[in-house]
Amino acid sequence: MRATIMYGAGDVRVENVPDPVIKAPTDAVVRVVRAAICGSDLHPYRSMPATDTGRAMGHEFLGIVEDIGTEVTGFKRGDLVLSPFTYADNTCYWCNQGLHTSCPNGGRYGFAGVDGGQGEAVRVPQASGTLVKLPARADSALLDSLMTLTDVFCTGHHAAATAHVAPGTRVAVVGDGAVGLCAVLAAKRLGAEQVILMGRHTDRTDLGSDFGATNVILTTGEEGAAEVRKLTDGRGADAVLECVGSMQTLTTSFAAVRDGGVISRVGVPSYTDGPIGMDMIMRNITLTGGVDPARHYIDEILPDVLDGTIEPGRVFDLTLDLDAVPDGYRAMADREALKVLITP
Amino acid sequence: MRATIMYGAGDVRVENVPDPVIKAPTDAVVRVVRAAICGSDLHPYRSMPATDTGRAMGHEFLGIVEDIGTEVTGFKRGDLVLSPFTYADNTCYWCNQGLHTSCPNGGRYGFAGVDGGQGEAVRVPQASGTLVKLPARADSALLDSLMTLTDVFCTGHHAAATAHVAPGTRVAVVGDGAVGLCAVLAAKRLGAEQVILMGRHTDRTDLGSDFGATNVILTTGEEGAAEVRKLTDGRGADAVLECVGSMQTLTTSFAAVRDGGVISRVGVPSYTDGPIGMDMIMRNITLTGGVDPARHYIDEILPDVLDGTIEPGRVFDLTLDLDAVPDGYRAMADREALKVLITP
C-alpha cells in the first residue's frame, strides 16, 4: 500500500510499504477513507533528525473495517469506524478512569510497528476498545466533522472539560489554530457565557466567531491579556484554554486568567519548566489539561455531530489526495492551510 | 501594649507599642486570648534583611472584642471571636467566589499599619466580614482546636478540598509539619480511603497516624514516591497534598501522583519555576492549591471542632507566654517544637 513516511525535518514522502495484516487476535485492519494532518505532526516536520528508516506518520483517520482478529468483538468487515488518535483496550483501570492515553495496552500510531494513519490502510491494535462504529455511510456529508472526533475536536473539548467549562463560565481561548477553534466550539457547546478568542489571523478568527466566540482579540502577550481583563470586568477569565504550547502563550494565559481560575493546556509544550512560584500560589490558579483521551469523549459528542448541532469539520480548509500529503505538510507549516484533510 | 516585632533574620523582640484604636468605622479591636506562630513566620525568621523599623508579626489569633467601629455589625464588645489569617470584606465578588485572599478590601496582618497577631491586641480591618463569633467561652478546652481554624487546619483542608478529596480518594500527604498533619486530618474528614503520610520524624508522623494516616513513609524523594506507588497498586496517589514548598517535595509529588491525578500545593514555594513540561502533559496531571481562603471554610468546619469530631489543636506541642515568643521562633526553627501556642 501507499503510506506517508517522514525521514527528517521537511522530508515527508509517500511510499510503497507492506500491506497491513492481522498480527494479534485483538487487531483489526481498517481501509482508510479519510485521514488528516495534525498540528502535532508539524513538530517532527520542523525538528526531526534525519533518519534512513523513517517514521510512519498520521494518527487521525476513519475508514472501513477490512479484516478483524479472532478476539475482536463489536465490529465486522464493512463497518465504517473511526479511531481516536491513540489506541487503548477500553477495559483497564486507566480507561475506566477516562484516561485512555495512559492505558498500558495502548499506544500511538506510527510507533512500535503500528502503521500511521496517513496511508491506505492501518492495522489497529486493541480494535475492540479503540474503534468507534459510525452510524453513517462512507459517502456521508458528515465525514469531515466525524473526522475531527479522532483528535482535534476532542482535544479542544478536553481543554474545556478539564477546565470545568459550564453554563456561566467566562472563557478565553489562546490560539487560533484548529485546536483553538475547536476549543471555542467546545466551550460554546458546554454553555460558556463568554468565549474570548485570542488569535492572529482574521480568516481563522472569523471561523472562531462562527463557532461561538463572543469576542476576538488580535493582539498577543500582556497587551492581549489586558484586553481579556477589560472584557471580564477587570478580573480575567474563569478558564483559559491554552491551545498553542509556547512559553509566550503560557505567560499570556497566566496574565489572562482570574484569581482562582483555571488554565487548561492541550498544546504540546515547547518548554520544560514554567512559572509556578509565588504568584500562582497567591492567586490560587489551577493548571490542568494534558494529552486528550479522545476515546473517553467520543460517545458523548457523536450525537451532536450526527444531528448537525456542531460542525467542527469546518476546520478543514484544504483537501488533498494521498500522494499530495507532502504539499499538505508544507501548506500547514507555512500557515497557508489551517488543517488538511486527506482522501486516500 | 506588648507585641512581637521582627527586626531581621533571627531577631524577634517583644516590645511596647501603641495600643490599637479604631481608625475606620469598619474596624474592631480584639484583645488576644490565644495567638500562634506559623510555619510561614519562619521564612522571614530565616531570611529577612535587617531593618530599623521592624515588622509586626503574627496572623493567627482569637480573642475578645474590645471595641467596634460604627459600621461593624454582628459583633458586640465581649464576644469571643477568631480571625482567619487574612482580613476581607466577605461581600465582594472574590469573597463570594470563596476567594477571600483576593479581596480588594482585604489584606494581611502586620502590613500597611495593621497589627500582627502575636501581641496583646489587634485592630481588625473589615471586622464584619473577617471575624467569626465563637459559641464558646474564653476558658473553653476547645480553644486550641478553634485556634487552628485561623490558618493551619483550614490550610490543610484547602489542600484536600482543591484536590477534590472525597470518599474513595487515595491521598498522599508530603510533609509532617503542622500543615501536613492537618492535611491528613482534613483528608480523613473528607472521607479519603487511604492517607499516606510522607514525613521524617516519627514523633510527628505518630500524630499523623492518630489523625487518620493509614500508612507512614519515612523515606523521601524518588524512594519515598516508589513506596507510595507500591501502596497504591503501582499507580500513585489520586491526590498528593504538597505541604512543604521545596523543589524536592514538588518533584516527589510528581513522582507520587498517578496519571490523571492532582497535586495540591499549600506550602510557600521556595522556587519560581517548576517541571510542567511534556511529562505533566502526557500524564494529564493537575496542579492546584494556593494560599488558603480560610474564611471560606470556617463555617463548614466549626461544628466538627465544637462537637469534638476533630481535634486539630493537638498540633500545638509548646505553649508560651507573650514574652517568650522569641524562644518559640527558635524552637520551631530548630524543629524542637511542631507548633507554638501563645497565651498573652
Side-chain angles (χ1 to χ4, degrees):
Chain A
M1 68 165 178
R2 306 280 288 166
T4 303
I5 312 291
M6 186 179 288
Y7 285 90
D11 186 1
V12 176
R13 309 176 203 169
V14 178
E15 298 185 331
N16 291 318
V17 302
D19 287 331
V21 293
I22 301 290
K23 291 184 181 175
T26 47
D27 286 348
V29 170
V30 172
R31 175 71 41 183
V32 174
V33 174
R34 292 282 188 284
I37 302 176
C38 178
S40 69
D41 291 332
L42 298 181
H43 292 282
Y45 187 73
R46 293 195 177 108
S47 64
M48 180 173 153
T51 163
D52 288 338
T53 51
R55 175 179 142 192
M57 294 302 296
H59 51 253
E60 304 179 8
F61 64 96
L62 58 73
I64 305 284
V65 174
E66 191 169 82
D67 199 2
I68 55 173
T70 53
E71 293 177 14
V72 174
T73 58
F75 302 98
K76 62 180 191 305
R77 289 182 185 81
D79 283 346
L80 183 69
V81 294
L82 69 75
S83 173
F85 68 95
T86 60
Y87 53 87
D89 62 27
N90 206 21
T91 59
C92 70
Y93 166 84
W94 299 102
C95 291
N96 285 331
Q97 294 282 327
L99 209 67
H100 296 70
T101 44
S102 291
C103 175
N105 294 315
R108 297 164 65 193
Y109 290 104
F111 293 89
V114 177
D115 305 296
Q118 293 161 3
E120 290 181 300
V122 178
R123 177 177 69 87
V124 176
Q126 301 294 335
S128 299
T130 301
L131 296 173
V132 177
K133 192 169 171 176
L134 295 175
R137 287 161 45 114
D139 60 355
S140 163
L142 295 170
L143 283 205
D144 291 12
S145 285
L146 290 168
M147 257 303 288
T148 67
L149 299 183
T150 64
D151 185 341
V152 65
F153 181 74
C154 288
T155 293
H157 176 80
H158 186 53
T162 53
H164 303 297
V165 172
T169 309
R170 302 173 86 164
V171 177
V173 174
V174 180
D176 60 6
V179 172
L181 299 179
C182 284
V184 168
L185 184 58
K188 188 74 183 176
R189 177 177 171 273
L190 292 172
E193 175 183 314
Q194 186 177 20
V195 183
I196 303 166
L197 173 59
M198 305 182 75
R200 293 180 175 210
H201 311 87
T202 50
D203 53 334
R204 297 182 175 191
T205 58
D206 284 351
L207 180 53
S209 297
D210 283 2
F211 276 175
T214 52
N215 310 85
V216 169
I217 295 175
L218 290 168
T219 45
T220 57
E222 171 51 38
E223 201 183 331
E227 287 288 316
V228 173
R229 293 195 297 272
K230 195 184 293 179
L231 290 166
T232 52
D233 302 324
R235 295 170 189 149
D238 300 323
V240 176
L241 313 185
E242 205 290 83
C243 302
V244 179
S246 73
M247 182 49 68
Q248 195 207 352
T249 51
L250 180 64
T251 305
T252 298
S253 300
F254 273 104
V257 73
R258 72 161 170 85
D259 287 14
V262 181
I263 299 170
S264 182
R265 301 178 298 164
V266 290
V268 177
S270 60
Y271 48 83
T272 56
D273 292 280
I276 58 168
M278 202 60 183
D279 182 66
M280 183 176 172
I281 289 286
M282 293 308 291
R283 298 180 59 210
N284 269 287
I285 293 167
T286 294
L287 188 62
T288 190
V291 62
D292 160 39
R295 183 66 187 83
H296 175 57
Y297 298 120
I298 292 173
D299 296 342
E300 172 202 339
I301 299 169
L302 185 57
D304 282 8
V305 173
L306 291 172
D307 70 10
T309 303
I310 56 172
E311 291 183 280
R314 293 179 64 194
V315 295
F316 292 110
D317 59 348
L318 180 61
T319 301
L320 299 172
D321 63 24
L322 187 56
D323 285 333
V325 164
D327 297 329
Y329 274 80
R330 207 173 303 123
M332 279 180 62
D334 294 345
R335 298 183 191 281
E336 288 166 16
L338 174 59
K339 189 166 177 74
V340 172
L341 188 70
I342 301 162
T343 53
Chain B
M1 69 164 179
R2 305 281 288 168
T4 303
I5 312 291
M6 186 179 288
Y7 285 90
D11 186 2
V12 175
R13 309 175 203 170
V14 178
E15 298 186 331
N16 291 317
V17 302
D19 287 332
V21 293
I22 301 291
K23 291 183 180 174
T26 48
D27 286 348
V29 171
V30 173
R31 175 72 39 184
V32 174
V33 173
R34 292 283 188 286
I37 302 175
C38 178
S40 69
D41 292 332
L42 298 182
H43 293 282
Y45 187 74
R46 293 197 176 106
S47 65
M48 180 174 155
T51 163
D52 288 339
T53 50
R55 175 181 143 192
M57 295 300 297
H59 51 253
E60 304 180 7
F61 64 96
L62 57 76
I64 305 284
V65 174
E66 192 169 79
D67 200 1
I68 55 172
T70 53
E71 292 178 15
V72 175
T73 57
F75 302 97
K76 62 180 192 306
R77 290 181 186 81
D79 283 346
L80 183 69
V81 294
L82 69 75
S83 173
F85 69 95
T86 60
Y87 53 88
D89 62 26
N90 205 22
T91 59
C92 71
Y93 166 84
W94 300 103
C95 290
N96 285 331
Q97 294 282 327
L99 209 66
H100 296 69
T101 44
S102 291
C103 175
N105 294 315
R108 298 165 65 194
Y109 291 104
F111 293 87
V114 177
D115 305 297
Q118 294 161 3
E120 290 182 299
V122 178
R123 178 176 69 86
V124 176
Q126 301 294 337
S128 300
T130 302
L131 297 173
V132 177
K133 192 169 169 176
L134 296 175
R137 288 161 46 114
D139 59 356
S140 164
L142 294 170
L143 283 205
D144 291 13
S145 284
L146 290 168
M147 257 303 288
T148 68
L149 298 183
T150 64
D151 185 341
V152 64
F153 181 74
C154 288
T155 293
H157 176 80
H158 186 53
T162 53
H164 303 295
V165 172
T169 309
R170 302 173 86 164
V171 178
V173 174
V174 181
D176 60 6
V179 172
L181 299 179
C182 284
V184 168
L185 184 58
K188 187 74 183 176
R189 176 176 172 275
L190 292 172
E193 175 183 314
Q194 185 178 21
V195 184
I196 303 166
L197 173 58
M198 305 181 76
R200 292 180 176 211
H201 311 88
T202 51
D203 52 336
R204 297 181 174 190
T205 58
D206 285 351
L207 179 54
S209 297
D210 283 3
F211 276 174
T214 52
N215 310 85
V216 169
I217 294 175
L218 290 169
T219 45
T220 57
E222 171 50 39
E223 200 183 332
E227 286 289 316
V228 173
R229 293 195 297 273
K230 196 185 291 179
L231 289 166
T232 51
D233 303 324
R235 294 170 189 149
D238 300 322
V240 176
L241 313 185
E242 205 289 83
C243 301
V244 180
S246 73
M247 182 48 70
Q248 194 206 353
T249 51
L250 180 64
T251 305
T252 298
S253 300
F254 273 104
V257 73
R258 72 161 170 85
D259 287 14
V262 182
I263 299 170
S264 181
R265 301 179 299 164
V266 289
V268 177
S270 60
Y271 49 83
T272 56
D273 292 281
I276 57 168
M278 201 61 184
D279 182 67
M280 183 176 172
I281 289 286
M282 292 309 291
R283 298 180 58 209
N284 269 286
I285 294 167
T286 294
L287 188 62
T288 190
V291 61
D292 160 40
R295 183 67 186 83
H296 175 58
Y297 298 120
I298 292 173
D299 297 342
E300 172 203 338
I301 300 169
L302 186 57
D304 282 7
V305 173
L306 291 172
D307 71 10
T309 302
I310 56 171
E311 292 183 280
R314 293 179 64 193
V315 294
F316 292 111
D317 59 349
L318 179 62
T319 301
L320 298 172
D321 62 24
L322 186 56
D323 284 333
V325 163
D327 296 329
Y329 274 80
R330 208 173 302 121
M332 279 179 63
D334 294 346
R335 297 183 192 281
E336 289 166 13
L338 174 59
K339 189 166 176 72
V340 172
L341 188 69
I342 300 162
T343 54

